[in-house]
Amino acid sequence: MYPVKERLHGVLETLPPGVRLVAISKYHPAEYIMAAYEEGQRVFGESHEQEIREKHTVLPKDIEWHFIGHLQTNKVKYIVPYITMIEAVDSLKLLREIEKQAAKVERTVKVLLELHIAEEATKYGLTPDDCRALLAGGEWRQMEHVRICGLMMMASNVDDEGQIAREFQTAADFFDEVKAGFFADDPEFCERSWGMSDDYSIAVNHRSTMVRIGTAIFGPRVY
Ligand SMILES: *Cc1c(COP(=O)(O)O)cnc(C)c1O
């Protein structure tokens, strides 16, 4: 088996205090998750509804599951009964569906708004303007089963560390704007989810509070 325990500790040792690890276990077997679990890791992230459902069913119930992928509205009802956080909310439509389904099962689901800053045209997410418009619309304030806890973003997949750093900084500045404009009195709006295996050491220098790391812990994914 891949040396998950050693890799996990290797990553944890490099994280500054205040930065939480979301171990991204997509495409990796339940045994790998258990290896990390036995070392104390409790927060895991997955990006496919069926895969997370299967893993949630067989793995310990005190695991905190984060959904990190693009979520179709028709899949929301399947994950809402047990999901802790949906990290990549990129539309009001999706937010409404989470509210509706979470109300049915009397849960509150934490969400992050996914910010699109990277240059790649293919990535999902809200541009800063989309994000401002969604928040200014105010409908989210009436949603009692959804709690917006911060922002999530992915930097461009490039070698230029300067560009990656600029994108994280843009996200951090935007967080401050949104915090001051809409969440000044809400201590729960505090999460900045950025940083993956290749760029988390840059992300933590730009105020990430949550890093989403897969490959550096579990090895290459077999699709
Ligand atoms: C797969 C994935 C990650 C983890 O990527 P690694 O490079 O394996 O660390 C992080 N965030 C999102 C949104 C992902 O889809």
Side-chain angles (χ1 to χ4, degrees):
M1 185 170 117
Y2 198 77
V4 170
K5 296 186 180 192
E6 291 76 6
R7 294 293 164 87
L8 173 72
H9 288 294
V11 166
L12 287 172
E13 277 163 20
T14 64
L15 295 182
V19 178
R20 274 209 304 161
L21 170 65
V22 182
I24 304 301
S25 46
K26 64 191 186 197
Y27 296 100
H28 292 295
E31 293 73 31
Y32 282 32
I33 299 177
M34 275 314 292
Y37 180 90
E38 282 162 10
E39 299 303 296
Q41 179 66 25
R42 290 293 180 273
V43 189
F44 293 88
E46 292 276 341
S47 58
H48 294 96
E49 183 275 315
Q50 197 181 338
E51 185 177 358
I52 192 172
R53 188 194 327 178
E54 286 166 11
K55 287 174 173 169
H56 165 260
T57 305
V58 299
L59 287 163
K61 292 296 171 260
D62 63 339
I63 287 180
E64 194 180 300
W65 293 103
H66 287 210
F67 196 86
I68 60 159
H70 179 67
L71 183 58
Q72 292 168 287
T73 46
N74 63 351
K75 300 284 172 64
V76 169
K77 60 177 173 290
Y78 301 120
I79 67 168
V80 151
Y82 61 85
I83 204 79
T84 297
M85 182 178 270
I86 297 175
E87 289 210 18
V89 171
D90 60 359
S91 71
L92 183 56
K93 185 175 166 225
L94 181 55
L95 208 55
R96 283 181 185 140
E97 181 65 12
I98 298 168
E99 167 65 17
K100 182 177 154 193
Q101 298 300 335
K104 276 189 194 165
V105 293
E106 297 178 357
R107 290 195 78 225
T108 300
V109 174
K110 296 180 183 181
V111 306
L112 303 179
L113 299 178
E114 182 180 5
L115 196 58
H116 176 109
I117 286 177
E119 282 171 8
E120 283 109 312
T122 54
K123 289 221 171 107
Y124 294 106
L126 300 156
T127 64
D129 275 344
D130 293 338
C131 196
R132 287 183 191 104
L134 188 155
L135 292 169
E139 189 178 328
W140 58 276
R141 292 186 194 274
Q142 267 66 58
M143 297 181 180
E144 291 177 4
H145 304 87
V146 172
R147 185 158 309 283
I148 302 177
C149 293
L151 303 178
M152 177 270 206
M153 65 84 75
M154 265 187 277
S156 294
N157 184 14
V158 294
D159 291 331
D160 180 354
E161 295 196 354
Q163 181 183 339
I164 294 168
R166 281 193 298 279
E167 292 178 1
F168 287 143
Q169 189 56 45
T170 301
D173 293 342
F174 187 70
F175 175 92
D176 290 342
E177 177 194 319
V178 163
K179 174 84 183 162
F182 300 98
F183 297 96
D185 300 327
D186 181 358
E188 287 192 79
F189 187 89
C190 63
E191 299 292 358
R192 295 175 290 274
S193 174
W194 43 85
M196 317 189 352
S197 291
D198 286 341
D199 59 19
Y200 76 88
S201 54
I202 307 173
V204 298
N205 288 327
H206 296 272
R207 300 172 51 219
S208 170
T209 60
M210 219 186 248
V211 288
R212 307 178 309 269
I213 300 180
T215 311
I217 297 169
F218 299 112
R221 287 180 283 274
V222 182
Y223 295 104

